């Protein structure tokens, strides 16, 4: 039990209390940030004349040795320390002696942990953004290959109007674009350095906070020391952005599960990304998509947990805030794993384009276009809607699609119909006529895809 604060106590901490209080088992993940922050702090202390050059050099060298020791596995973080900050300081002092004890001058674990957590979150934002971009590249490839792969678009899970696979996947591309811009916003908003806020009220040492902030890649120092040590907004914002990413993946999962079902048969998940049943030999299950959908609940839980932990906290630091770590780490790990698995599954998935196309032709997805045909021949849309309703009913009785009806059969319903209707309600026309920005028509899609290429390059 190695603690930084034994002085005013006359008794040892109860063993169970010590373990209950300790965070080393999870905050050891922050070792790199803790070391980098400490190096910057020591360099600044020397620049300000608070440490001597020799002390600073010994500290920086010692901290670097700890970092390489941990990376090479020659040094191990054990739970005999209360948290990562205690581990680093105690190990440093054991290594270099007196100078090690001076590292904490003008600093508290409160601003230290706020710094470590911010630096960790910042690095993860970049990694997650990168992963999501990789997924976007896969989607864009599939879009380009499927500009004319017709399929039904749905509303209420009922076939509505024909679209293309490119257009459908484009919707997810957009969701991921917003996800990335949210991450970018969070990064910008949080990128202010809390180091130097001390326990809560700054410090009487003459620190140069601007110097440490810029050394550590922050925009500038934070402007209120109490807020600096008690702000976990960026954690909540990250968890919220991660929850939204998971919500998007979960909706996508749901569609792939449906599309991969025997009933739909739109896609086939690659053998390497599906699993079998222990009893039913015919089964090939979409477990990855199901797990991603399921894990969404965990990430939502991490967000709710953090919001609830923070809601009653008076200023400034409270130990409750130590609870920010496990949920955040869990959400970050979960999202990274899910995005990786999910995009690989999508990348290797087979699309049954003929099945999709047949599905679009069988579901009266061209009924709106048939009504539009009548409107173009002078009929009011409301009347046209009703005529096509009757036509659909007749088609259902005859088990035919609109384009399979003979011209005589069509004329029985309305004499406005002429043979040029067939061309007007063909799948190609239905999609290709839709050329408004954001619509599925090929040339409209090509414009959007060109924009996406520029966006991915930026
Ligand atoms: N392990 C603590 C945390 O994660 C570090 C800060 C401790 N500060 C304190 N005053 N007890 O929040």
């Amino acid at each position: 039990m190695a603690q930084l604060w034994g002085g005013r106590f006359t008794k040892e901490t109860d063993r169970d209390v010590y373990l209950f209080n300790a965070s080393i088992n999870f905050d050891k993940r922050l070792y790199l940030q803790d070391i980098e922050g400490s190096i910057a702090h020591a360099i600044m202390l020397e620049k300000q004349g608070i440490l001597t050059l020799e002390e600073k050099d010994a500290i920086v060298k010692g901290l670097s040795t700890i970092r390489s020791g941990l990376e090479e596995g020659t040094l191990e973080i054990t739970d005999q320390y209360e948290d990562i900050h205690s581990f680093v300081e105690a190990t440093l002092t054991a290594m270099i002696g007196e100078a090690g004890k001076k590292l904490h001058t003008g600093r508290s674990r409160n601003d230290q942990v706020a710094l470590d957590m911010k630096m960790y979150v910042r690095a993860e934002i970049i990694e997650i953004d990168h992963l999501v971009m990789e997924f976007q590249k896969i989607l864009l490839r599939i879009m380009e290959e499927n500009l004319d792969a017709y399929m039904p678009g749905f509303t209420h899970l009922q076939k509505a109007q024909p679209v293309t696979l490119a257009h459908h996947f484009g919707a997810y591309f957009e969701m991921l674009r917003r996800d990335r811009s949210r991450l970018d916003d969070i990064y910008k908003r949080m990128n202010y350095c809390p180091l130097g806020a001390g326990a809560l009220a700054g410090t009487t040492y003459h620190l140069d906070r601007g110097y440490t902030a810029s050394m550590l890649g922050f925009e500038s120092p934070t402007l209120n020391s109490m807020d600096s040590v008690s702000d976990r907004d960026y954690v909540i914002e990250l968890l919220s952005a991660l929850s939204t990413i998971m919500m998007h993946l979960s909706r996508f999962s749901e569609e792939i599960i449906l599309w991969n079902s025997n009933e739909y048969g739109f896609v086939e998940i690659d053998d390497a990304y599906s699993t079998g049943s222990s009893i039913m030999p015919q089964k090939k299950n979409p477990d990855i998509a199901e797990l991603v959908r399921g894990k969404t609940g965990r990430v939502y839980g991490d967000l709710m947990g953090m919001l609830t932990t923070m809601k009653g906290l008076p200023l400034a630091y409270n130990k409750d805030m130590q609870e920010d770590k496990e949920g955040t780490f869990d959400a970050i790990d979960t999202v990274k794993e899910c995005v990786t698995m999910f995009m690989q599954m999508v990348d290797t998935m087979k699309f049954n384009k003929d099945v999709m196309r047949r599905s679009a032709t069988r579901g009266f997805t061209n009924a709106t276009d048939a009504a539009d045909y009548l409107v173009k021949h002078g009929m009011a849309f409301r009347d046209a809607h009703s005529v096509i309703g009757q036509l659909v009913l007749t088609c259902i009785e005859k088990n035919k699609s609109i384009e399979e009806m003979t011209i005589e059969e069509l004329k029985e319903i309305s004499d406005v119909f002429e043979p040029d209707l067939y061309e007007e309600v063909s799948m190609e026309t239905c999609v290709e006529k839709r050329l408004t920005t954001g619509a599925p028509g090929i040339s409209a899609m090509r414009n959007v895809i060109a924009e996406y290429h520029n966006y991915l390059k930026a």
Side-chain angles (χ1 to χ4, degrees):
M1 307 204 319
Q3 291 161 331
L4 299 170
W5 40 264
R8 66 101 67 213
F9 289 78
T10 51
K11 256 193 189 175
E12 283 260 302
T13 322
D14 177 86
R15 175 79 194 155
D16 291 337
V17 170
Y18 176 81
L19 293 174
F20 183 65
N21 195 48
S23 52
I24 187 86
N25 283 326
F26 46 88
D27 67 17
K28 61 180 167 198
R29 227 195 240 234
L30 300 173
Y31 79 90
L32 202 60
Q33 290 74 19
D34 202 74
I35 290 171
E36 280 172 10
S38 296
I39 289 177
H41 184 64
I43 292 174
M44 181 276 297
L45 288 178
E46 189 270 333
K47 179 179 94 71
Q48 298 303 96
I50 302 164
L51 289 181
T52 66
L53 189 61
E54 296 69 43
E55 287 167 339
K56 185 265 289 182
D57 284 345
I59 291 174
V60 171
K61 193 156 165 272
L63 289 171
S64 305
T65 311
I66 295 175
R67 176 170 50 199
S68 45
L70 289 173
E71 264 150 22
E72 285 152 22
T74 51
L75 184 63
E76 212 195 322
I77 303 172
T78 66
D79 61 8
Q80 80 183 109
Y81 303 93
E82 181 186 339
D83 53 29
I84 188 63
H85 326 297
S86 318
F87 164 81
V88 172
E89 190 180 316
T91 311
L92 178 71
T93 304
M95 197 180 278
I96 68 168
E98 280 306 298
K101 296 188 195 163
K102 296 192 177 177
L103 171 62
H104 212 51
T105 313
R107 188 173 72 165
S108 155
R109 276 186 298 164
N110 297 353
D111 59 343
Q112 191 177 356
V113 76
L115 173 70
D116 292 1
M117 198 60 184
K118 268 195 165 176
M119 287 173 63
Y120 183 83
V121 163
R122 215 172 51 165
E124 291 295 336
I125 285 179
I126 291 181
E127 271 199 37
I128 294 169
D129 178 70
H130 201 82
L131 264 183
V132 175
M133 184 180 71
E134 291 304 313
F135 188 19
Q136 284 183 314
K137 287 184 185 162
I138 291 170
L139 290 181
L140 193 56
R141 175 193 57 79
I142 295 173
M143 287 167 69
E144 289 184 299
E145 289 169 5
N146 291 285
L147 285 167
D148 60 353
Y150 303 117
M151 62 176 288
F154 297 84
T155 63
H156 315 270
L157 208 51
Q158 308 270 338
K159 291 178 195 176
Q161 291 175 342
V163 294
T164 63
L165 180 57
H167 192 244
H168 197 111
F169 271 32
Y172 286 100
F173 192 100
E174 281 292 309
M175 293 180 222
L176 299 181
R177 211 151 72 104
R178 290 193 296 275
D179 287 330
R180 292 184 60 202
S181 96
R182 261 184 284 276
L183 291 173
D184 192 47
D185 281 351
I186 297 168
Y187 190 103
K188 286 194 196 116
R189 196 162 29 254
M190 69 167 279
N191 198 24
Y192 296 89
C193 186
L195 186 61
L200 76 163
T203 163
T204 53
Y205 292 98
H206 183 55
L207 305 187
D208 185 346
R209 292 193 59 211
Y211 188 65
T212 38
S214 84
M215 245 190 296
L216 294 168
F218 288 93
E219 191 60 36
S220 58
T222 50
L223 294 184
N224 182 290
S225 58
M226 290 177 85
D227 179 57
S228 307
V229 292
S230 68
D231 166 32
R232 293 295 181 274
D233 289 5
Y234 62 96
V235 171
I236 291 171
E237 286 192 42
L238 174 70
L239 292 172
S240 162
L242 297 184
S243 295
T244 308
I245 293 176
M246 289 304 292
M247 180 268 289
H248 291 151
L249 290 186
S250 185
R251 293 182 69 178
F252 208 164
S253 293
E254 175 68 14
E255 297 208 303
I256 286 174
I257 292 162
L258 282 171
W259 291 5
N260 185 64
S261 68
N262 304 128
E263 281 67 24
Y264 275 74
F266 284 8
V267 298
E268 199 182 318
I269 299 174
D270 192 81
D271 277 3
Y273 293 93
S274 42
T275 48
S277 157
S278 58
I279 174 168
M280 298 165 283
Q282 83 282 15
K283 287 276 210 155
K284 215 179 115 180
N285 295 329
D287 287 32
I288 291 183
E290 289 174 348
L291 268 175
V292 167
R293 189 176 58 182
K295 283 175 190 286
T296 303
R298 279 168 78 132
V299 178
Y300 288 6
D302 293 328
L303 169 64
M304 280 306 130
M306 195 58 206
L307 279 168
T308 313
T309 293
M310 293 304 291
K311 78 176 268 292
L313 300 190
L315 290 176
Y317 178 84
N318 299 273
K319 188 75 170 204
D320 313 48
M321 289 158 72
Q322 179 166 290
E323 287 294 307
D324 63 353
K325 292 176 194 65
E326 284 160 294
T328 305
F329 297 160
D330 176 64
I332 288 171
D333 293 347
T334 304
V335 165
K336 284 162 84 173
E337 206 187 10
C338 287
V339 175
T340 306
M341 286 290 116
F342 195 85
M343 72 179 169
Q344 289 170 8
M345 177 188 70
V346 170
D347 199 23
T348 52
M349 205 158 63
K350 209 176 115 248
F351 299 99
N352 298 327
K353 296 187 204 179
D354 47 330
V355 176
M356 290 179 170
R357 192 191 164 103
R358 207 175 320 125
S359 168
T361 28
R362 292 314 301 184
F364 302 105
T365 56
N366 52 1
T368 315
D369 297 83
D372 288 343
Y373 174 88
L374 296 175
V375 171
K376 281 177 199 154
H377 287 76
M379 199 180 283
F381 182 78
R382 204 37 70 209
D383 294 333
H385 187 284
S386 158
V387 170
I388 301 300
Q390 285 166 18
L391 171 59
V392 167
L393 204 59
T394 313
C395 286
I396 292 171
E397 278 162 13
K398 295 180 186 265
N399 192 26
K400 285 180 166 184
S401 64
I402 295 176
E403 56 279 25
E404 283 165 356
M405 295 282 275
T406 63
I407 189 69
E408 292 74 28
E409 287 173 319
L410 290 169
K411 280 207 176 282
E412 265 172 48
I413 295 186
S414 166
D415 57 12
V416 180
F417 289 127
E418 295 296 339
D420 62 346
L421 171 81
Y422 296 110
E423 168 69 23
E424 279 295 292
V425 301
S426 77
M427 192 63 56
E428 285 76 8
T429 315
C430 287
V431 173
E432 291 330 320
K433 272 187 322 198
R434 291 185 153 75
L435 293 173
T436 39
T437 302
I442 291 190
S443 62
M445 279 300 298
R446 283 218 172 94
N447 292 337
V448 167
I449 285 176
E451 268 195 48
Y452 289 168
H453 277 292
N454 289 334
Y455 154 83
L456 286 176
K457 259 182 251 148

